[in-house]
Amino acid sequence: MVRLELDKVVMRRMKEDDIEMVKALIKEGCEGTENRLILHVLTRPLCLFILAVISSVLRCLVHSFILALAIPVFLLIIFLKITMPRSTGVLGSSLPYWDYVGSSYRGTQDETLPNPFSRISGKTPGTNKPRRKITPKDKDKELPTENVSLEREQEAGLVWVADCDGEILGCIFRESEKRADIRRICRVVTGSWYRREGLGRLLVHSLEQREMEAGALRVYTHIPFPSKLGEAFFRKLGYRQIGEGTDDEEDFEKNKLETPERGFLGHPLTKVFYKDL
């Protein structure tokens, strides 16, 4: 773990040459998430019942208890890996991650999120050091050259990166402004060396402040099952899960518009949390 000075962090819009680093952060940040989601689906009572019925039928055909048990489980895992939103996707959205990572950098390049730590310390954060060197492995990765229409660019949402002295430490994804007073955080990722240093909290607070100044009244976020760490993180920031406590009629109508991502047999893959600004 590296000691991080939060007042030196600049949270700016993602640029084209940040894409590979952002992809690497996403892959690192959601490592194992897809497997945990698959295990969550496989252990649901209805799914276990269906697997037991299929195994009983196969037992009469293959004459092997082990094969009769393993074949349906193996086929279901393959099916889930193909149909389930990829772990590198954006939570709560059916859009693939490329629509966010590849499109959002085409907006205003000098847009930044406010950093309250800079005002407290009186320092002006900057990016004086050069960016990380591009390795031969990075050169082999060619970025898609397809044209991005204005409609797709607006649909993609926005991505901000936490930049400290030219190094990308983390990123936060925000859905496009489909609803006038509602925003949705689709993903928050921090590098493994900079966790538990307050970087994720800084990203979320800064985005909330920006959206509140823009007129947003509520922020939603999706947390994958069964991510206890992500759930605890957002609860500490004042978020509540939909359905907890007593909501008034207005809250109920708003929450109906935000539903969990669902997978095989309709089992929810995400929990929906919200916070009023």
Side-chain angles (χ1 to χ4, degrees):
M1 184 178 297
V2 178
R3 184 63 182 175
L4 178 62
E5 297 182 33
L6 294 177
D7 57 339
K8 292 184 178 180
V9 176
V10 178
M11 289 161 291
R12 56 172 176 78
R13 281 285 302 276
M14 183 179 64
K15 300 179 181 180
E16 185 172 3
D17 53 356
D18 300 326
I19 290 179
E20 290 304 321
M21 178 58 75
V22 170
K23 286 183 178 181
L25 278 174
I26 295 172
K27 184 176 180 181
E28 177 187 2
C30 53
E31 184 177 5
T33 299
E34 186 175 282
N35 292 334
R36 289 193 293 270
L37 286 174
I38 290 176
L39 181 61
H40 168 74
V41 172
L42 289 176
T43 54
R44 298 307 92 195
L46 180 58
C47 185
L48 289 174
F49 174 75
I50 293 176
L51 289 175
V53 171
I54 296 176
S55 295
S56 299
V57 175
L58 288 177
R59 179 70 177 84
C60 303
L61 301 176
V62 299
H63 304 289
S64 171
F65 175 78
I66 296 178
L67 286 177
L69 183 63
I71 289 176
V73 174
F74 176 76
L75 293 178
L76 181 55
I77 290 175
I78 298 298
F79 172 77
L80 290 175
K81 280 189 171 290
I82 294 174
T83 59
M84 182 181 293
R86 302 295 296 172
S87 61
T88 52
V90 181
L91 295 176
S93 172
S94 59
L95 292 174
Y97 74 88
W98 170 247
D99 281 323
Y100 280 76
V101 176
S103 302
S104 64
Y105 73 86
R106 298 173 185 267
T108 305
Q109 297 304 308
D110 57 353
E111 187 177 359
T112 59
L113 295 177
N115 186 339
F117 289 96
S118 298
R119 293 195 295 269
I120 294 173
S121 66
K123 298 179 182 178
T124 301
T127 55
N128 299 322
K129 295 183 180 180
R131 295 183 178 274
R132 67 186 185 93
K133 295 181 179 179
I134 303 298
T135 62
K137 185 178 181 181
D138 293 330
K139 290 182 180 180
D140 294 336
K141 298 178 181 179
E142 295 184 358
L143 296 176
T145 57
E146 59 182 315
N147 294 325
V148 178
S149 64
L150 179 61
E151 291 76 14
R152 177 178 168 185
E153 184 178 323
Q154 293 174 343
E155 181 75 12
L158 302 175
V159 181
W160 283 272
V161 298
D163 188 328
C164 183
D165 293 333
E167 181 181 2
I168 306 300
L169 312 180
C171 55
I172 184 168
F173 289 49
R174 196 219 70 190
E175 187 189 52
S176 57
E177 300 179 9
K178 296 180 180 179
R179 292 167 282 182
D181 57 348
I182 300 295
R183 301 291 186 269
R184 182 164 67 183
I185 298 174
C186 297
R187 186 177 294 279
V188 181
V189 184
T190 58
S192 57
W193 288 98
Y194 302 98
R195 291 172 186 167
R196 300 186 182 277
E197 292 289 316
L199 181 60
R201 184 171 62 252
L202 174 62
L203 284 166
V204 174
H205 278 325
S206 298
L207 180 59
E208 288 175 351
Q209 181 178 341
R210 177 191 183 277
E211 299 306 331
M212 183 171 59
E213 293 173 353
L217 301 179
R218 174 170 292 187
V219 177
Y220 286 98
T221 185
H222 285 245
I223 299 173
F225 272 99
S227 177
K228 299 299 182 183
L229 184 61
E231 184 175 338
F233 170 76
F234 278 100
R235 285 189 185 278
K236 287 181 180 179
L237 296 180
Y239 284 74
R240 294 189 299 166
Q241 186 176 357
I242 287 181
E244 289 182 344
T246 56
D247 298 333
D248 56 29
E249 185 176 346
E250 183 180 355
D251 284 340
F252 179 75
E253 292 298 324
K254 282 186 177 180
N255 291 336
K256 283 199 305 183
L257 301 176
E258 197 74 22
T259 57
E261 189 80 13
R262 296 186 179 275
F264 182 66
L265 297 177
H267 294 303
L269 301 179
T270 63
K271 299 177 182 179
V272 181
F273 283 71
Y274 71 96
K275 179 181 180 180
D276 291 321
L277 301 178

